[in-house]
Amino acid sequence: MIKYLNQKEKALTKPLYKEAFFEDSDSFVNYYYEEKLKDNRILADIEGESVRSMIMLNPYKISVFNKIYNLDYIVAVATGKEFKRQGYMRRLLNKALCDMNAEHVPFTYLIPANKDYYLPFDFAFVANKNEYNANFLGLKKQVIKEEPDKELIFRILDFINNEVSKDNDVYTYRDENYFIRDLKEIASEDGFINVYSDENDILAVESFWGREKLELKERIVSSKLANRKFGKENIMVRITDIVELLSNFRAKEPIDIIIKINDNIIEAQNEYFRIEMDERHSSVSRISDIGDRGFAEFDIADFTGWIFGYVSDAKCSLINFLDKSTAKKTLDSINKISGIFINELV
C-alpha cells in the first residue's frame, strides 16, 4: 500500500535506510531519525511493518524572486533489494509529483546520485555546485562546535542570507531553526563551523564534517573576498505547478503568448497556457481552445532548464507563427532565473 507515513510508521523505514545508505555512520543515522523525521514527509510502499520502497520529502524555505516557499527536497530514495526493478519507485515518484501539483507547489528538487534515474521523471539540471577559492589570512577565526549565543547565530544568518541573495533569484533562506539543525547535523559527524571576520563584519562561513575523513561540507564567502565559482552539475529540479511558478516571473516588455507543455506524469500540466506578462505583473491561465493561434511547444524538462536560466536557448517548437523570430523575441523577453544557491546535502 502506498501512503504517507505517520510519525510512528516513519521509524519502520530505518532498516531500509541503513540497507540503502550503509556508508552513513550510526551517529548520523541516529541524528537523522531524531531530527529530520520531526517535520518531513515519507511516502512509502508499506505492507504491515515492511517498507518496500520510500522517498523522503524534507522541507526547506526557498526564496523564489523574494517569495518564500516551503519546498520539498527529495532525499533517501530507496527500494529494498528484493523489490528493485518492479516499478515501486516509479509509482512513488509519480504520486509525489502529482500531489505537489494538487498542493500548488511550484517545484521540487534533489541532488542526484545518478542523474539517469531521474531524467525519465523529467527532472532537469538547473545549477552547478557552488565553490569558492578564498584566502582567510589576517581574518579572525572562530570555531563553533556547540550552539552559540543567539547574537552570533543571527549575525551568521544575516551574513549568509544577505550574501546569497545578492546574485541569486533562487536560494535557501536560513533561519534560527535551520542553523541549529545544521549544527546538529555537522556535530553528528564530529564536525564544526568556522566563522571568519574582520574588525566589523563576518566575511566567510564554512563547515567541515567526517569521522574517518574530514571534508568540507559548505563554504560561503563574501564577494569582498572572492568570487563564486562553479563546479560540476549539481541541482536537479522538477516543475510541479507551472502556473504557480510563472506567477513569480516578469518580462522586459509586455508579452502575450501561448505555450504548450508536454508532461506525461502531471496531467494537469499537459496543457496549453496563456502567458501575459510585463515588468510588474504576470498572469498565467490554462486554455482549452486555441484555434489556429500560434504557440511554443515545450517538453517540461526542456522548459525547466530554460526558464531556470541553465540553458540559454529555448528548446521548443514554434507552431502556427507567421513570424517565428517575433515569437522567439517574445520568449526571450521573459526574465529567466539568474543565480541559484542551494547547498544542502541531505
Side-chain angles (χ1 to χ4, degrees):
M1 177 172 57
I2 293 177
K3 62 177 292 188
Y4 291 96
L5 304 184
N6 60 37
Q7 286 301 117
K8 184 177 180 180
E9 291 169 329
K10 285 181 180 182
L12 300 176
T13 65
K14 198 169 187 178
L16 176 55
Y17 185 101
K18 296 186 78 169
E19 173 191 301
F21 308 105
F22 55 88
E23 70 277 9
D24 288 353
S25 67
D26 288 341
S27 61
F28 177 82
V29 175
N30 290 336
Y31 150 79
Y32 194 93
Y33 272 77
E34 290 172 5
E35 191 66 35
K36 292 286 191 176
L37 272 60
K38 289 178 181 177
D39 59 359
N40 77 349
R41 293 187 296 165
I42 302 178
L43 182 62
D45 193 308
I46 183 172
E47 193 65 37
E49 295 190 352
S50 174
V51 178
R52 295 180 285 205
S53 189
M54 68 175 181
I55 59 175
M56 296 192 184
L57 307 175
N58 290 356
Y60 284 87
K61 292 181 179 180
I62 303 294
S63 176
V64 181
F65 291 119
N66 296 317
K67 181 176 180 179
I68 303 293
Y69 286 97
N70 289 314
L71 300 186
D72 291 315
Y73 178 13
I74 296 178
V75 297
V77 177
T79 300
K81 292 179 181 178
E82 64 270 38
F83 302 111
K84 288 183 179 295
R85 297 177 179 84
Q86 297 178 42
Y88 284 93
M89 185 53 63
R90 175 177 54 80
R91 290 189 287 272
L92 290 183
L93 272 171
N94 285 353
K95 176 174 173 52
L97 296 174
C98 290
D99 288 349
M100 290 176 195
N101 175 265
E103 296 160 0
H104 302 297
V105 175
F107 65 88
T108 185
Y109 63 102
L110 53 81
I111 298 177
N114 179 1
K115 66 179 181 181
D116 293 333
Y117 189 87
Y118 297 99
L119 294 175
F121 296 94
D122 294 319
F123 283 82
F125 278 107
V126 298
N128 291 355
K129 187 175 177 59
N130 298 303
E131 297 178 349
Y132 294 92
N133 292 321
N135 185 348
F136 301 140
L137 189 65
L139 296 179
K140 176 185 175 182
K141 175 181 174 181
Q142 185 172 359
V143 181
I144 299 173
K145 294 186 176 182
E146 298 178 350
E147 185 177 332
D149 61 69
K150 289 187 181 295
E151 180 183 357
L152 179 55
I153 290 176
F154 288 118
R155 285 185 62 218
I156 293 171
L157 291 172
D158 286 345
F159 162 73
I160 293 175
N161 286 326
N162 288 335
E163 195 61 41
V164 302
S165 65
K166 287 179 181 177
D167 300 311
N168 300 288
D169 292 328
V170 174
Y171 61 90
T172 305
Y173 178 81
R174 310 186 190 207
D175 56 18
E176 183 180 5
N177 290 334
Y178 178 106
F179 179 87
I180 293 172
R181 175 175 281 185
D182 190 47
L183 187 58
K184 290 179 181 178
E185 184 175 300
I186 293 165
S188 74
E189 286 291 307
D190 288 346
F192 52 88
I193 295 173
N194 291 334
V195 179
Y196 296 92
S197 309
D198 62 11
E199 296 177 355
N200 302 307
D201 302 310
I202 293 175
L203 295 177
V205 176
E206 62 182 8
S207 58
F208 292 85
W209 65 346
R211 287 175 174 268
E212 296 183 6
K213 180 183 178 182
L214 195 63
E215 296 180 348
L216 176 68
K217 183 174 185 285
E218 181 179 43
R219 177 177 287 142
I220 299 174
V221 182
S222 169
S223 56
K224 298 176 184 178
L225 288 184
N227 293 322
R228 179 171 50 149
K229 300 183 182 297
F230 300 98
K232 64 180 182 179
E233 54 190 15
N234 192 43
I235 302 294
M236 297 186 87
V237 155
R238 209 317 177 161
I239 295 176
T240 48
D241 188 341
I242 194 169
V243 174
E244 179 62 33
L245 177 66
L246 290 180
S247 70
N248 298 286
F249 284 72
R250 300 293 182 263
K252 300 177 184 70
E253 57 187 48
I255 65 168
D256 185 349
I257 192 170
I258 295 172
I259 64 171
K260 169 64 174 69
I261 295 295
N262 298 322
D263 191 328
N264 294 321
I265 295 175
I266 303 176
E267 188 60 32
Q269 294 194 143
N270 194 43
E271 295 189 20
Y272 293 91
F273 298 89
R274 181 181 180 183
I275 301 174
E276 299 171 271
M277 197 178 290
D278 57 29
E279 291 182 344
R280 300 181 64 183
H281 303 96
S282 177
S283 173
V284 183
S285 56
R286 294 177 175 84
I287 53 176
S288 56
D289 183 10
I290 67 167
D292 59 357
R293 294 177 62 183
F295 62 93
E297 185 174 18
F298 289 85
D299 290 339
I300 187 65
D302 292 330
F303 184 83
T304 303
W306 173 71
I307 203 69
F308 273 80
Y310 195 69
V311 177
S312 57
D313 293 326
K315 186 180 179 182
C316 65
S317 299
L318 300 176
I319 300 172
N320 291 341
F321 286 103
L322 294 176
D323 185 354
K324 292 186 177 181
S325 63
T326 299
K328 186 178 185 305
K329 183 179 178 181
T330 299
L331 290 173
D332 289 342
S333 294
I334 299 174
N335 293 319
K336 269 66 76 178
I337 287 171
S338 176
I340 298 172
F341 203 104
I342 296 175
N343 278 359
E344 287 68 36
L345 298 177
V346 292

